[in-house]
Amino acid sequence: MEATNTDVLPENLQTAEDFLNFFNVQYDPEVVQTKRVQLLRLYHGVLERYDPPLTIEHYRKAVRIAYGSIKLGQELAFADMGCGTCSGCDV
């Protein structure tokens, strides 16, 4: 599924910190610095599970879920995020 309606977000959001700050998510800079790629990967994975068109609330929820998962150590480093090319994956 293609995430749509990205025009609801400011164009200057580029880093994990940008997203966290924009959505007022309190975060530990050390966690974000060491898990930046996983955080953004989980964020995009959560967005892919929503039906388009995406709203600002979808983006807000995705950021909070992704950071919460990272903070709790629940990130899946090699999880299939919906590509459909793997077999035997539980994600």
Side-chain angles (χ1 to χ4, degrees), residues 22-84:
F22 179 76
F23 289 113
N24 259 347
V25 176
Q26 299 229 342
Y27 63 92
D28 180 343
E30 285 185 35
V31 170
V32 175
Q33 186 174 14
T34 59
K35 301 288 187 175
R36 177 180 321 279
V37 172
Q38 293 92 334
L39 174 63
L40 292 174
R41 186 169 179 220
L42 281 171
Y43 165 74
H44 287 288
V46 171
L47 285 178
E48 297 228 343
R49 290 180 167 81
Y50 297 128
D51 291 327
L54 299 179
T55 67
I56 195 78
E57 289 306 315
H58 289 117
Y59 292 102
R60 180 185 323 276
K61 188 173 181 180
V63 168
R64 290 176 187 262
I65 289 170
Y67 179 71
S69 295
I70 292 294
K71 188 174 177 186
L72 294 173
Q74 297 175 343
E75 76 271 13
L76 301 173
F78 298 104
D80 173 21
M81 294 308 249
C83 69

